[in-house]
Amino acid sequence: MDNQSCVKIVTEWDIVAARQLGRNEAKELGFGSVDQARITTAISELARNIYLYAGQGQICIERIEEFGKKGLKIIAFDSGPGIPDIRKVMEDGFSTSGGLGAGLPGVKRLMDEFTIDSSTGEGTDIQAVKWLR
């Protein structure tokens, strides 16, 4: 069985598809409804960022197991303009789209692990993990 599924993000409908995939995977793995909502919200935010800032990219959801723990890894990547100042976008309240600015800091809070790698002109790769309790 392949433990990774991906959704290309090109249109707003792809954000919905990525959310549904994430919720289904979380439910199948045994996450409760609260953690399913956290995972779905994180995916929605990451997919929306791809759509708004990079134009297109992918959300991949991977089932992982480490030291007997099971979890879901969300991988969001694109070949967009990149993030010039990662520290700035990780500040609560920072927004370039006029939104609430809960974006990436919110994703970090919703998940158990969070890494971001971005190069100007090359794109962004974000990975977030939620462990099954």
Side-chain angles (χ1 to χ4, degrees):
M1 180 186 100
D2 187 11
N3 65 345
Q4 187 181 74
S5 302
C6 298
V7 175
K8 277 190 168 184
I9 306 298
V10 181
T11 71
E12 284 189 90
W13 288 109
D14 300 328
I15 298 168
V16 175
R19 284 175 55 94
Q20 288 173 334
L21 175 66
R23 184 175 296 278
N24 292 343
E25 288 288 329
K27 191 173 185 177
E28 271 185 38
L29 204 55
F31 282 98
S33 58
V34 172
D35 278 340
Q36 287 176 37
R38 287 182 177 122
I39 290 164
T40 304
T41 301
I43 290 169
S44 184
E45 188 61 46
L46 294 169
R48 186 162 302 287
N49 282 354
I50 290 170
Y51 175 73
L52 288 175
Y53 302 113
Q56 64 179 359
Q58 276 195 335
I59 296 282
C60 294
I61 296 157
E62 182 179 335
R63 292 182 185 205
I64 56 173
E65 192 166 343
E66 234 175 64
F67 307 112
K69 292 191 311 184
K70 291 183 179 190
L72 278 185
K73 180 189 283 188
I74 312 305
I75 304 156
F77 62 95
D78 63 67
S79 302
I83 301 169
D85 189 347
I86 290 175
R87 255 191 319 211
K88 189 113 183 126
V89 300
M90 292 308 294
E91 289 175 10
D92 279 319
F94 176 78
S95 174
T96 56
S97 66
L100 296 174
L104 294 179
V107 172
K108 185 176 183 179
R109 279 192 297 275
L110 289 168
M111 303 297 279
D112 297 322
E113 297 174 17
F114 179 90
T115 58
I116 181 169
D117 183 34
S118 188
S119 300
T120 306
E122 293 180 29
T124 301
D125 181 339
I126 297 173
Q127 298 191 16
V129 174
K130 189 70 168 171
W131 293 107
L132 190 58
R133 301 201 191 324

